[in-house]
Amino acid sequence: MLKIVSIGKFLFIPKGSKHNGFTLVEVLAVIVILGLLAAVAVVSAGGLIEKAKKDVCNFRVFLKSRDDIKLI
């Protein structure tokens, strides 16, 4: 059994313990969480790209209409 010693805000594992690394479940949990965060980021970026394309189109229409007004 792993013995964890708490001193103030810090947790220490004694040197004689056999806890050498992370378990497979811990590693898989981190991978799943990172995957979810990446999926959210990709979906958010997709929406921003589409909005940017629309904004560029609107700006080009604005510039074209402004140039047409100057010619009159």
Side-chain angles (χ1 to χ4, degrees), residues 18-70:
K18 296 181 181 179
H19 186 53
N20 292 329
F22 299 106
T23 64
L24 181 60
V25 173
E26 292 171 335
V27 173
L28 289 176
V30 170
I31 290 172
V32 167
I33 291 170
L34 291 176
L36 290 172
L37 290 174
V40 169
V42 167
V43 170
S44 296
L48 292 175
I49 291 171
E50 290 301 318
K51 184 181 179 313
K53 288 179 181 178
K54 288 178 184 177
D55 289 344
V56 168
C57 290
N58 288 336
F59 186 67
R60 287 181 179 165
V61 168
F62 168 74
L63 290 178
K64 177 80 172 135
S65 65
R66 189 185 68 168
D67 290 342
D68 290 343
I69 292 172
K70 285 182 179 178

